[in-house]
Amino acid sequence: MSTPIVGVVMGSDSDWPTMKEATEILDHFGVPYEKRVVSAHRTPDIMADYGKEARGRGIRIIIAGAGGAAHLPGMLASHTTLPVIGVPVKTTALGGVDSLYSIVQMPNGIPVATVAIGKAKNAGLLAARMLGMNDKALTQKLEAYHKEMAEESMKKTDNLK
């Protein structure tokens, strides 16, 4: 198995149904990743070590999903200079708006790219696009994916009968 270059982390295993979509798209493009539960609140030292050590282990991008207070993406970004993509996980209390606001409202100097609530697939696609900047084969796979997506969209006119 290839060395992981994307870290897919989440605050709890209850986030897995959402975050699984990121791993599925990474699998589709053949991007090696690791997946872990790393809690900003329950295991802050482990979370900090993850952020600090990720680059040295070959990780190039971190996708971090969190719900509620959703501190994981921002806290990881504070411990690394790697790109961090935040995925707000839908919550029962506020439908994920709380997660979105927590992730997107980062202070200057600690950027976190943020996708829409529950859209971990887009986080995986964004990671693949970032990696594709220096990987011609991956770029070609992304171009084929876009072409297929456009063709599927154009066929939807046929459903309007």
Side-chain angles (χ1 to χ4, degrees):
M1 183 169 182
S2 298
T3 302
I5 59 174
V6 175
V8 178
V9 296
M10 59 217 81
S12 172
D13 62 349
S14 63
D15 300 331
W16 177 239
T18 297
M19 298 305 292
K20 185 176 181 184
E21 293 180 13
T23 64
E24 290 170 349
I25 200 72
L26 294 171
D27 284 336
H28 177 80
F29 290 111
V31 175
Y33 60 88
E34 63 185 20
K35 56 186 186 284
R36 294 189 187 174
V37 171
V38 181
S39 174
H41 300 111
R42 291 180 286 276
T43 59
D45 294 334
I46 292 169
M47 180 271 315
D49 289 343
Y50 185 89
K52 291 173 186 174
E53 298 168 1
R55 182 185 301 275
R57 293 184 300 100
I59 299 297
R60 296 188 204 161
I61 299 169
I62 297 172
I63 300 173
H71 291 122
L72 182 60
M75 290 304 298
L76 281 168
S78 74
H79 289 286
T80 186
T81 57
L82 293 172
V84 175
I85 303 168
V87 178
V89 174
K90 188 173 184 179
T91 58
T92 54
L94 297 171
V97 173
D98 47 344
S99 311
L100 174 66
Y101 286 166
S102 181
I103 295 172
V104 80
Q105 292 294 343
M106 293 303 301
N108 284 331
I110 310 295
V112 173
T114 309
V115 296
I117 298 167
K119 300 297 184 188
K121 181 177 182 178
N122 277 347
L125 282 166
L126 182 55
R129 286 177 172 201
M130 293 166 121
L131 294 166
M133 291 172 54
N134 297 309
D135 184 332
K136 187 174 182 174
L138 182 53
T139 296
Q140 290 172 339
K141 289 178 187 178
L142 284 160
E143 289 169 350
Y145 180 84
H146 270 261
K147 182 178 180 184
E148 181 180 310
M149 188 172 51
E151 289 170 356
E152 286 178 20
S153 181
M154 290 187 303
K155 289 178 186 175
K156 293 183 184 218
T157 298
D158 295 338
N159 297 332
L160 302 177
K161 295 178 183 179

